[in-house]
Amino acid sequence: MVKKVFVILVLLAVMGGALFSADVRYINLNAIKNMNAFSDELNYVLLNQNAMRWWVSDDAWNNPTPKSDVAAVLRTLYGKLCEHEDAENQEYLLLKAVISDFLYNFDEPGFFEVTKENYLAIETLPERDYRYKWFLGTFLGNACKSIEAVDCFRYILDQIPENALVPDLFWDYGNILYQAMMPSSAKHAFDTYALYSGYDIGNNQMYRNVLNLLPEYNMNDVDSIVSDYIFQFHERNGMNGKLSKLYGIWYSPDEEWTLNQSGLTVVKHTEVFNSAPISKDGRNITYSVLLIDELTPSYPVCSAADTFESVRQDYSSVSEVQLFPDIPGIRVYELKEPSRYTECGGAHGYAVLVESEYDPDGDCAFEKPFDINASGTSREGGVKYFRAMPMYTRFKGTTAHFILLDSCEAIWEESSSAFLEFLETCEFF
């Protein structure tokens, strides 16, 4: 059984809009048969669903009706719905799923799986509409399943023009994206909600919270720069790594590499990694990887590109190789110099330059949903707090990334394999 773990982003606690969840108001109750069999319980739900639509801890419950009594009404209603099965009726199935969704919020055992199955049962109906996917997405988001939740909303948006959707869907989507650590995408969703609902969102506290997570970098005001907003540790594709929207890069160094030195200036970030020793012919040999990320307001004049060119001149054999065709703006050269590292067969390495132009949609496109790790509380349930950290948005100009493998013939197989694997996992935008 998946136990409810209610996750609150600290800024969410002062949000101005309603929390997101399934809403009975979007179900056509008149299309459901046998309403008289459960009308009393359903009327109670319609009058009190704001006390049911999300999980509330016992000590925070302020409804005049005890939680146990509300849960009892929901259990009765769900039982009656199951007794009057109407498997071909989307409105019935939606209501059944929403009531099981509410029961999940009251910690009813097994209702995570039950609710998910109830929503997905609607997929078998040929004339279904998008509401089940919308409600399923909000349900999964409330259950801290942000990745699955975002997929539900993206499925809808891939199928239906945004002007044909209920505006409230975009409000729910914005909340999901905020929880998934995707503030640029959340801002876009809230802007879309405002566009189609006519709501003046500028003073909404939730919207302002999102804007506070998206500061713009001002290299002309050094005193205002916050280094923690430039790079942050960020899990991506199941790997631990570092993300910088400002530079438009995410990378995950090899676990056996150690950071030898690093530096950060107003326009440039530098890191040098050393490998673990590799034993070859009685020697312990290491290789290094240099990474330079740079903002290039005066493009094409940039030290990353200049370094790329100067390094190439240091080798007697330089040949361009066609690697990673899916990475736009990449140039890769294989380098050899027999007169260096002669005791190890000569120098052998790679020089890589990636140049990325600014794309106004890049911040949103680059964001990926993140499931907050709630381990440690999942068995008992409860509340776990997280603080979202601001991060500078993408630099509005060209960025350049110079990456150098400094290795030798003796360990070329090992070093080149590790370097190319590292480069393959890097993401640029």
Side-chain angles (χ1 to χ4, degrees):
M1 182 188 82
V2 176
K3 182 68 173 177
K4 168 79 104 183
V5 181
F6 192 62
V7 175
I8 301 175
L9 296 176
V10 172
L11 291 178
L12 195 65
V14 292
M15 61 183 286
L19 286 172
F20 53 103
S21 66
D23 194 327
V24 179
R25 292 177 302 170
Y26 289 106
I27 301 174
N28 180 9
L29 300 176
N30 292 325
I32 300 176
K33 302 174 184 176
N34 300 309
M35 286 287 290
N36 290 336
F38 43 82
S39 59
D40 290 344
E41 292 82 7
L42 183 55
N43 284 333
Y44 180 86
V45 169
L46 291 171
L47 292 172
N48 297 278
Q49 70 166 319
N50 282 343
M52 307 171 182
R53 293 171 62 201
W54 50 84
W55 181 85
V56 179
S57 63
D58 292 342
D59 58 350
W61 181 264
N62 59 7
N63 192 285
T65 305
K67 280 184 72 176
S68 58
D69 291 353
V70 177
V73 173
L74 290 170
R75 284 194 298 270
T76 299
L77 175 55
Y78 188 75
K80 290 183 176 182
L81 284 167
C82 291
E83 290 173 3
H84 297 82
E85 190 77 25
D86 191 1
E88 302 302 317
N89 185 334
Q90 179 180 222
E91 307 307 319
Y92 162 82
L93 292 175
L94 273 175
L95 178 61
K96 181 182 176 184
V98 169
I99 300 307
S100 67
D101 191 332
F102 292 171
L103 280 166
Y104 172 68
N105 293 334
F106 283 80
D107 294 322
E108 288 295 309
F111 266 77
F112 175 83
E113 294 82 1
V114 168
T115 301
K116 191 172 181 180
E117 290 173 3
N118 284 341
Y119 281 125
L120 291 175
I122 300 173
E123 283 192 332
T124 63
L125 302 181
E127 301 299 324
R128 66 188 182 275
D129 59 47
Y130 66 86
R131 285 173 297 165
Y132 83 98
K133 208 74 168 181
W134 168 19
F135 290 2
L136 175 60
T138 58
F139 167 72
L140 292 169
N142 280 329
C144 308
K145 303 293 184 182
S146 298
I147 295 175
E148 292 182 70
V150 170
D151 284 344
C152 287
F153 282 92
R154 285 178 171 170
Y155 175 85
I156 296 170
L157 294 171
D158 286 343
Q159 304 293 322
I160 303 173
E162 63 181 27
N163 62 358
L165 296 168
V166 175
D168 282 357
L169 177 145
F170 293 99
W171 179 263
D172 290 349
Y173 189 30
N175 280 282
I176 294 289
L177 292 166
Y178 179 82
Q179 181 173 295
M181 305 296 186
M182 302 172 68
S184 295
S185 300
K187 177 184 179 300
H188 179 74
F190 288 135
D191 286 340
T192 306
Y193 167 76
L195 173 66
Y196 293 112
S197 68
Y199 176 61
D200 183 4
I201 202 169
N203 292 321
N204 179 276
Q205 188 59 57
M206 181 62 187
Y207 186 71
R208 292 166 69 90
N209 292 341
V210 171
L211 294 183
N212 288 336
L213 296 178
L214 299 170
E216 290 199 7
Y217 189 74
N218 186 356
M219 66 177 64
N220 297 316
D221 184 5
V222 177
D223 293 336
S224 71
I225 295 174
V226 181
S227 59
D228 288 343
Y229 296 176
I230 300 175
F231 275 92
Q232 294 172 14
F233 291 100
H234 197 280
E235 182 180 315
R236 199 172 177 91
N237 303 325
M239 303 171 64
N240 293 320
K242 291 177 70 174
L243 170 68
S244 175
K245 290 185 181 179
L246 176 68
Y247 287 103
I249 184 174
W250 178 88
Y251 62 99
S252 179
D254 189 292
E255 292 181 354
E256 295 188 354
W257 294 354
T258 57
L259 182 61
N260 184 16
Q261 55 181 307
S262 63
L264 189 64
T265 67
V266 174
V267 297
K268 184 167 67 174
H269 161 256
T270 305
E271 288 188 338
V272 179
F273 299 95
N274 287 342
S275 74
I278 300 171
S279 180
K280 275 295 176 79
D281 302 325
R283 294 174 177 269
N284 287 325
I285 309 172
T286 63
Y287 62 90
S288 66
V289 175
L290 167 67
L291 171 65
I292 298 176
D293 306 300
E294 190 168 54
L295 312 178
T296 61
S298 55
Y299 176 81
V301 178
C302 105
S303 64
D306 292 343
T307 303
F308 177 71
E309 295 299 332
S310 65
V311 165
R312 290 172 55 206
Q313 295 174 12
D314 290 339
Y315 291 80
S316 58
S317 174
V318 178
S319 57
E320 187 169 7
V321 291
Q322 302 302 317
L323 297 173
F324 311 108
D326 294 334
I327 300 178
I330 190 170
R331 296 160 62 192
V332 184
Y333 286 84
E334 187 172 350
L335 314 171
K336 294 182 180 180
E337 180 49 63
S339 65
R340 294 170 54 196
Y341 309 146
T342 54
E343 70 280 9
C344 299
H348 196 170
Y350 280 119
V352 179
L353 182 68
V354 181
E355 294 170 308
S356 301
E357 302 293 334
Y358 171 69
D359 179 355
D361 299 323
D363 279 272
C364 289
F366 194 64
E367 289 182 332
K368 288 188 177 182
F370 174 72
D371 278 344
I372 294 174
N373 181 10
S375 61
T377 63
S378 58
R379 180 173 298 176
E380 299 80 15
V383 178
K384 192 169 186 179
Y385 291 89
F386 292 85
R387 181 177 296 279
M389 177 70 74
M391 179 176 283
Y392 288 121
T393 55
R394 173 64 159 80
F395 174 66
K396 293 179 175 58
T398 303
T399 59
H401 311 276
F402 171 64
I403 311 170
L404 174 69
L405 169 64
D406 186 9
S407 186
C408 62
E409 290 291 354
I411 58 169
W412 177 244
E413 182 177 348
E414 295 86 348
S415 62
S416 62
S417 176
F419 179 77
L420 293 178
E421 183 176 343
F422 161 71
L423 196 60
E424 188 173 20
T425 62
C426 289
E427 296 185 27
F428 308 92
F429 79 101

